[in-house]
Amino acid sequence: MFSSPLRSEAKPQGPLGSGRRRGEAMCARPPQGEGHLGRKRRHSRMKLVVRTESEIEEAVRRWEPFVHPRAGVYFADPEQAREVMRRVFRCIGRQVDPLLGGGDGCVIWHGETRRPEPIVSDVCGERSDSVWGSLGRRHLMCHQPVLDVVKPGDTQETMAFASRVLALLFASDESMEELMLLPKEPFRMCCGHQECIRINHISLDP
C-alpha cells in the first residue's frame, strides 16, 4: 500500500505507478481479519460534509498531473475527465482524498451505489447472494459505488463503477494490465469495504 503523500515535484506517474513511490501499488489480497462485507452501514451518510465548489476545483487541479494519457482515449474532451473528478469529490467527505490523501484509512463513497447483477447462465433460479457466494465473489454481494460517465462513441451518460473509472484515470500501464485480467466487475477492495474508493485499497485479486 502507499505509505506517504505524493510529492508535487515528483514526475506524475499516477499513484498506482510502477515507480511505487508510495509503496506497493495495490493490495494483492484482502488482509486477514480486516474489514467485513457487512460493515458499510457503520459509516453514517448523515455526517457528510463535502467540499465547496471552489475547493472541488482546486482538488481537481491537484489530480490532473496524475491523470494517465489513456484517459484521453476514453474521454475525448479533457473537460469530461475533469467533470468525472468533480463528481467523485462531491460524493466523499471534505477532509479525505482517495488519491493523494495521507494515511491508509478508507475513503467512503456517499453517492449512488448499486449491487452488480450475477451472470446466471449456469446458475438459473438461485438468489444473487447465493450465486456470488458460490462463485467465491462475496464482495459482489455488497453495494458498489457508481457514477455516470459518457463512454466513447456515446452521447448519453451511462453508469460505471467508480473503482474502475478511477483505475482508468490513474493506474499505470503495469497496474492496468493486471486489472484488465480481472472480470469486468467492480474491483475487490482489500480493506473489505466495497463502498471505499481509496485507490491503494484496490485489490489485484478477482
Side-chain angles (χ1 to χ4, degrees), residues 63-134:
W63 274 16
E64 283 188 291
F66 300 100
V67 174
H68 193 280
R70 82 170 70 83
V73 177
Y74 197 93
F75 301 108
D77 183 352
E79 181 58 26
Q80 290 178 309
R82 285 192 286 269
E83 179 57 26
V84 168
M85 290 185 274
R86 292 184 190 106
R87 293 179 181 185
V88 171
F89 282 113
R90 292 182 186 123
C91 293
I92 60 176
R94 186 180 189 183
Q95 303 300 324
V96 295
D97 186 323
L99 179 69
L100 303 177
D104 197 45
C106 291
V107 175
I108 300 301
W109 180 261
H110 293 267
E112 183 179 357
T113 62
R114 178 175 175 181
R115 294 180 66 181
E117 293 294 329
I119 299 172
V120 295
S121 57
D122 58 344
V123 284
C124 294
E126 294 190 47
R127 293 176 61 249
S128 59
D129 286 4
S130 301
V131 172
W132 289 133
S134 66

Side-chain angles (χ1 to χ4, degrees), residues 97-172:
D97 186 323
L99 179 69
L100 303 177
D104 197 45
C106 291
V107 175
I108 300 301
W109 180 261
H110 293 267
E112 183 179 357
T113 62
R114 178 175 175 181
R115 294 180 66 181
E117 293 294 329
I119 299 172
V120 295
S121 57
D122 58 344
V123 284
C124 294
E126 294 190 47
R127 293 176 61 249
S128 59
D129 286 4
S130 301
V131 172
W132 289 133
S134 66
L135 296 176
R137 319 276 297 138
R138 291 187 65 247
H139 67 288
L140 297 176
M141 293 161 56
C142 301
H143 286 259
Q144 314 287 333
V146 295
L147 69 166
D148 292 328
V149 298
V150 179
K151 296 182 178 181
D154 292 345
T155 58
Q156 300 294 321
E157 291 183 335
T158 57
M159 186 197 71
F161 293 109
S163 60
R164 300 189 68 90
V165 174
L166 289 170
L168 170 72
L169 288 170
F170 299 112
S172 68

